[in-house]
Amino acid sequence: KKVKLKDGATTLTTDRLTYDRNQNTAFYENGGHATNRADTLDSRIGRYNTDLNTFFIYGEVQLKDSTSLLVTDTLVFNTETNLATFTSPTHIYSDSATLYSEAGNYDSGIDYARSYKNSHVKSGEKTLMCDTLFYNKRSQFGQAWGHVFIFDSINDITCRGRYGETDQSNKTSFVTDSALVVFVDKGDSLYLHADTIFTTNNSDQKFETVRANYHVKIFRHDAQALCDSVFYSQPDSVVRLYYSPVLWYNDYQCSSDTMEIFLDTAGVRQANLNNNVMAIEKMDEDKHNQVKGRNTIVYFTEGEPNYADVLGSAQMVYYLTEQQPDSTQALVGVNVGQGSSMRIYFKDRQPEKVSTYGKPDMTAYPYDKLPSDKRHLPGFEWKENQRPKSPKDIFIEENIGRKTDR
């Protein structure tokens, strides 16, 4: 036969109950079940203080409400405030997510969880880990502090930072303070760092956009970039770089006011460099091929550059070489000139031919006769010292491009 203790909206049921009238506390050691409005409590051992309206329960603890199940070993639960406090490994299960914590509390009345130690949340194919976490299940809004790590296994994306927020009702998230996103595609990783990084998902939790603001640096083994802001739209397969971006590709450096990079399944399909375009190829420390113009469009075939159109006020400095019998290249002269536009053809990622249109004015100089003021086009600046050489370099503060620097 069961023993029942009723205290307002709370009912405790157990096989055997000891009640201390001096302390107004009930004790049980052989399993107890309690109900409190929409909540139910189960544990192996516990005590209930009627003055404090509080359960102190241990062993195989479960707290159930209408939407969640909390499982732990030790719990303090106040029946008036609906606040459950735990200090041992704890799981909170719901239809949309599972939260793990080793210290924190959960308000069953408003579905609000706070975790202060070793916080983990798994929702579908996404996992979030951090030091401290606040999460409101009703509004689907969460905040994370300290060593924030998010992994999206559907899209193969990792996101890190020291502070982050997620608003699943609007399908948006962001991380800041040493923010980093790593995209993995066909085994190759792209690292993107900025002050703050925003992401959005669609209703199926598929990744849609990334927006990175301020001091952006990007590293991949074959390309690097810096700019002030970047926006990537996965449905459109377009990357847009803003505020004087600089892009390095092998021995090339490209800069402009803005850039648009169009992607397809083979890689880059087209690149638009808009306003104040400068492309530089380093030959050696003293020699640089240079092309300058108002706008440039680079066309790719199967991810490899095919040709580029330099549109408006095109200028060039181009070192002419000739292959020797021993397969080395010998310098034979320098072409310097301008035209209204130019087309540059590529072979094996190297310029093969340059055509100039619109009343071209070209001069070929022997290298030793090249005037010193013709060696560099106006605005020439080789920024190799700002180029990230490895993923860790994107966190070097002095190398980060700033809108006001250019």
Side-chain angles (χ1 to χ4, degrees), residues 48 112 122 141 158 178 218 220 260 328 357 394:
Y48 174 65
Y112 194 94
K122 184 171 178 59
F141 177 79
T158 301
S178 302
I218 299 170
R220 206 174 82 160
E260 296 173 305
T328 61
Y357 305 95
I394 62 178

Side-chain angles (χ1 to χ4, degrees), residues 331-394:
L331 182 64
V332 296
V334 186
N335 270 354
V336 179
Q338 60 187 6
S340 62
S341 62
M342 293 180 183
R343 175 166 287 187
I344 304 169
Y345 296 90
F346 295 91
K347 182 179 180 180
D348 298 328
R349 301 189 179 186
Q350 298 295 321
E352 183 183 35
K353 184 176 70 172
V354 178
S355 298
T356 307
Y357 305 95
K359 297 181 180 181
D361 179 12
M362 305 294 295
T363 303
Y365 295 92
Y367 174 67
D368 58 355
K369 302 295 184 181
L370 179 66
S372 59
D373 62 347
K374 301 291 185 183
R375 291 181 180 272
H376 296 131
L377 294 175
F380 173 88
E381 185 180 0
W382 183 246
K383 300 181 179 181
E384 184 71 17
N385 65 321
Q386 298 184 37
R387 183 179 189 174
K389 307 299 192 302
S390 69
K392 67 180 181 180
D393 287 348
I394 62 178

Side-chain angles (χ1 to χ4, degrees), residues 130-369:
C130 60
D131 295 338
T132 301
L133 174 72
F134 291 179
Y135 186 70
N136 188 316
K137 189 173 63 177
R138 291 186 183 179
S139 64
Q140 296 183 291
F141 177 79
Q143 296 171 282
W145 290 266
H147 302 98
V148 178
F149 176 92
I150 303 169
F151 177 62
D152 180 347
S153 60
I154 292 180
N155 302 292
D156 218 349
I157 297 172
T158 301
C159 190
R160 300 172 186 263
R162 294 196 179 111
Y163 175 76
E165 292 183 3
T166 180
D167 184 351
Q168 289 304 307
S169 62
N170 293 315
K171 307 295 186 291
T172 62
S173 302
F174 79 83
V175 290
T176 189
D177 194 355
S178 302
L180 171 70
V181 172
V182 181
F183 303 86
V184 179
D185 181 34
K186 300 176 183 176
D188 197 5
S189 296
L190 183 148
Y191 300 81
L192 185 154
H193 164 65
D195 286 2
T196 304
I197 300 175
F198 300 83
T199 65
T200 63
N201 298 324
N202 62 21
S203 57
D204 296 324
Q205 294 301 307
K206 294 291 183 68
F207 162 76
E208 281 198 335
T209 67
V210 168
R211 185 174 85 251
N213 288 349
Y214 311 123
H215 311 145
V216 175
K217 297 191 77 176
I218 299 170
F219 177 87
R220 206 174 82 160
H221 81 279
D222 58 350
Q224 302 81 41
L226 63 82
C227 60
D228 187 74
S229 302
V230 66
F231 181 82
Y232 171 56
S233 171
Q234 195 277 336
D236 300 331
S237 296
V238 181
V239 181
R240 294 179 172 88
L241 292 81
Y242 299 100
Y243 298 112
S244 303
V246 182
L247 174 67
W248 291 273
Y249 180 75
N250 295 336
D251 292 326
Y252 294 90
Q253 173 187 293
C254 300
S255 59
S256 60
D257 286 357
T258 63
M259 295 182 187
E260 296 173 305
I261 301 173
F262 300 84
L263 308 173
D264 59 21
T265 55
V268 179
R269 174 174 59 85
Q270 179 178 315
N272 294 355
L273 284 67
N274 307 311
N275 297 319
N276 299 313
V277 176
M278 173 75 83
I280 304 171
E281 179 192 15
K282 182 179 180 181
M283 306 290 288
D284 60 36
E285 293 300 327
D286 299 319
K287 305 178 189 68
H288 298 83
N289 289 329
Q290 303 153 60
V291 176
K292 180 179 174 67
R294 187 177 301 119
N295 301 301
T296 296
I297 304 175
V298 186
Y299 299 91
F300 293 74
T301 301
E302 295 298 318
E304 297 295 327
N306 189 1
Y307 64 93
D309 286 334
V310 183
L311 307 173
S313 304
Q315 303 174 63
M316 68 175 293
V317 174
Y318 193 79
Y319 289 81
L320 304 173
T321 61
E322 189 176 80
Q323 185 167 321
Q324 303 300 297
D326 61 359
S327 298
T328 61
Q329 297 290 325
L331 182 64
V332 296
V334 186
N335 270 354
V336 179
Q338 60 187 6
S340 62
S341 62
M342 293 180 183
R343 175 166 287 187
I344 304 169
Y345 296 90
F346 295 91
K347 182 179 180 180
D348 298 328
R349 301 189 179 186
Q350 298 295 321
E352 183 183 35
K353 184 176 70 172
V354 178
S355 298
T356 307
Y357 305 95
K359 297 181 180 181
D361 179 12
M362 305 294 295
T363 303
Y365 295 92
Y367 174 67
D368 58 355
K369 302 295 184 181

Side-chain angles (χ1 to χ4, degrees), residues 63 67-72 75 84 86 88-107 111-124 126-137 141-145 166:
L63 168 63
T67 60
S68 301
L69 168 65
L70 184 153
V71 178
T72 187
L75 191 73
F86 47 87
S88 61
T90 300
H91 290 86
I92 302 176
Y93 303 96
S94 69
D95 292 340
S96 58
T98 298
L99 183 148
Y100 172 83
S101 173
E102 295 178 1
N105 55 64
Y106 173 64
D107 189 328
D111 295 326
Y112 194 94
R114 302 175 185 86
S115 173
Y116 301 103
K117 182 180 179 181
N118 200 14
S119 310
H120 297 235
V121 176
K122 184 171 178 59
S123 177
K126 295 182 180 179
T127 301
L128 173 127
M129 294 182 284
C130 60
D131 295 338
T132 301
L133 174 72
F134 291 179
Y135 186 70
N136 188 316
K137 189 173 63 177
F141 177 79
Q143 296 171 282
W145 290 266
T166 180

